[in-house]
Amino acid sequence: MLYKKEFGVDFELGFELSDFLILIDRSWKNDTCPSFYFKVNEAYYILWVDYADLKDRENPNARYLVQEAVNYGDDESPEIYGDEGSIIFESEELTDLKKFLDLSQQLH
């Protein structure tokens, strides 16, 4: 798992990545936290999963944040980047995230 390589084997997402097959790990060590992209219909999104402990976070955002994204590549070689300022979901609560991702998977 890329996010564990980039952010450490002890990083806890708060959920099992295997529960959400639409999530594709795009984590990179220079980002502030792990991230995963997914596609619903023709639209791309990025899920950011920040540290559970507020003192470990660099940004004041909620732990779980989803923003609209753009694919600058193609379907075979996607290059997914967030669209600044386009936050569509934000929550500290795992139950809220699970509802959001369950709905996204149904629409996928």
Side-chain angles (χ1 to χ4, degrees):
M1 291 181 209
L2 187 57
Y3 79 93
K4 288 197 177 274
K5 177 183 173 205
E6 299 293 339
F7 292 92
V9 293
D10 294 330
F11 191 96
E12 282 296 323
L13 297 175
F15 61 90
E16 292 296 324
L17 190 55
S18 60
D19 289 344
F20 301 103
L21 300 178
I22 61 171
L23 295 178
I24 300 167
D25 197 342
R26 64 174 294 278
S27 301
W28 188 49
K29 64 184 174 200
N30 288 347
D31 287 336
T32 59
C33 60
S35 62
F36 307 85
Y37 79 87
F38 60 102
K39 185 177 180 182
V40 176
N41 297 322
E42 296 303 311
Y44 286 91
Y45 303 92
I46 296 175
L47 164 66
W48 297 91
V49 180
D50 216 330
Y51 293 89
D53 195 331
L54 290 171
K55 70 177 175 31
D56 294 330
R57 297 183 195 171
E58 289 185 32
N59 294 316
N61 298 325
R63 179 166 191 211
Y64 302 111
L65 183 144
V66 176
Q67 71 178 142
E68 293 177 332
V70 177
N71 181 5
Y72 290 106
D74 56 33
D75 286 340
E76 288 183 25
S77 300
E79 292 183 39
I80 311 299
Y81 294 94
D83 186 8
E84 294 297 320
S86 61
I87 297 171
I88 62 166
F89 173 86
E90 193 171 3
S91 181
E92 287 292 327
E93 301 300 320
L94 180 58
T95 54
D96 295 339
L97 175 67
K98 285 185 174 187
K99 288 177 189 174
F100 182 89
L101 290 176
D102 283 339
L103 178 60
S104 296
Q105 281 192 146
Q106 291 172 12
L107 297 172
H108 178 75

